[in-house]
Amino acid sequence: MSTPSVRVTIKDVAAAAGVSKGAVSLAFNDKPGVSDATRERIFAAARQLGWAPNSSARSLSRQSVDTVGLAICRPARLLGLEPFYMEFVSGIESVLAERDCSLLLRLVGSLEEEIRLQERWWRERQVGGSILVDFHQEDPRIGPLGRIGLPAVAVGHPSLTGGFPSVWTDDDAAVAEAVRYLGVLGHRRIAHVGGPRGLGHSAIRTTAFERTMSELGLDRGPHVETGFSGEDGARATRSLLLSAERPTAILYDNDIMAVAGLGVAAEMGVSVPDDLSLLAWDDSQLCRLTHPTLSAMSHDVHGFGAQVARVLFEVLAGHDVASRPVATPSLVPRASTAPPRPIAS
């Protein structure tokens, strides 16, 4: 994408699209007078130049905000199984209902697809603002969505979210607490089953895991990257339990993988917690329904979603919103963790 050093104007967009300035105005104000093909050519030129009409924000500010956008780059099947997003969305909806607003939710296959979707939502006035989630390191959404002036709140650490106001949980401190807890129990071989390293919060958790292991004087435990599914959790657990240096404790980055890991341990005749301690991220109903019940890092996901929505409305009201940590997940010990016993040779 072009990154000009001077301010791009409507004249530049018109020249790039081969149309008049009037045609650009008609296209962006959704007025008749230009064909669909010409309209798309104008929008493509505007995207390439990183231009949006200054009137967009002023026009929207005079309207009531009745729809908020949320695009999630996760497989539909995984999203339907993962308790976190169901609770998160319900928290958002609780605030939107108070304001008689709707949530426009879309699943996308890539961040590039999300960029195009958010641009269209904003251009066509389908949303008053958006909630941006699952930030990556060097996230490609920051530049394009910032340039079009999309009002948004980012769910993620400020180191990942560019200039967007952000709301986040303190993953670093939570992982450190989990590892120290396992260390106090006496575990010396602790493994971590996480998400993709490119995903920002996964990288933060992995770094915290490795640093805390080092601070405890423990060898860096094995780390397995996954896609967060139950199948991934089962595969990672099986691989770890078959390794020569079998861990005595495993920390998982979500509850689905921990539940799957518990099943694999039973399949392999590994007793939890006598032979293996398991600790899940995000304390959900799943963690409380297993046998044994799963120790977990817990925080109010519904309340988190509600707070994110409230911050977005602060942004939409024109307030100067500072990024803020909402909570640090806290440890809830249950029956799946215990001091290790010697592994039989």
Side-chain angles (χ1 to χ4, degrees), residues 37-257:
T38 300
R39 192 184 306 272
E40 286 304 316
R41 190 166 74 249
I42 292 168
F43 292 153
R47 284 195 299 271
Q48 183 179 13
L49 294 171
W51 179 87
N54 291 333
S55 61
S56 294
R58 292 197 301 270
S59 173
L60 187 65
S61 68
R62 292 193 294 268
Q63 304 171 19
S64 62
V65 177
D66 57 10
T67 305
V68 168
L70 172 62
I72 301 176
C73 187
R74 297 283 182 95
R77 181 171 176 271
L78 176 59
L79 193 67
L81 294 172
E82 192 168 36
F84 172 85
Y85 267 116
M86 297 302 101
E87 283 289 305
F88 180 70
V89 169
S90 73
I92 294 170
E93 290 277 18
S94 70
V95 174
L96 298 187
E98 295 171 357
R99 298 170 179 262
D100 198 25
C101 294
S102 300
L103 180 67
L104 181 54
L105 174 64
R106 181 72 60 83
L107 302 185
V108 295
S110 67
L111 296 182
E112 290 70 28
E113 181 182 347
E114 181 181 348
I115 292 170
R116 295 190 295 270
L117 176 68
Q118 296 280 5
E119 287 175 335
R120 178 165 60 80
W121 279 350
W122 181 237
R123 183 180 69 233
E124 297 177 358
R125 311 292 195 273
Q126 293 187 48
V127 299
S130 287
I131 295 168
L132 307 177
V133 298
D134 282 345
F135 273 79
H136 288 237
Q137 296 171 306
E138 307 296 330
D139 197 286
R141 294 170 291 180
I142 294 171
L145 300 187
R147 280 192 288 271
I148 65 173
L150 174 72
V153 59
V155 179
H157 193 273
S159 64
L160 304 167
T161 59
F164 288 106
S166 59
V167 180
W168 74 96
T169 56
D170 193 343
D171 289 4
D172 183 289
V175 168
E177 180 185 2
V179 174
R180 291 192 185 105
Y181 166 70
L182 293 171
V184 167
L185 288 179
H187 293 279
R188 294 296 175 263
R189 296 203 298 275
I190 305 170
H192 178 219
V193 177
R197 183 172 284 270
L199 195 59
H201 68 261
S202 292
I204 289 171
R205 294 177 189 181
T206 300
T207 299
F209 173 77
E210 294 173 348
R211 185 195 68 243
T212 308
M213 291 287 286
S214 177
E215 289 172 355
L216 295 176
L218 305 178
D219 292 337
R220 179 182 296 182
H223 165 76
V224 183
E225 294 184 19
T226 72
F228 292 122
S229 71
E231 291 84 353
D232 287 340
R235 188 179 305 110
T237 304
R238 193 171 289 111
S239 173
L240 289 168
L241 296 183
L242 289 172
S243 64
E245 293 292 320
R246 194 177 85 188
T248 61
I250 304 176
L251 170 63
Y252 295 86
D253 260 12
N254 73 3
D255 42 9
I256 294 176
M257 294 195 296

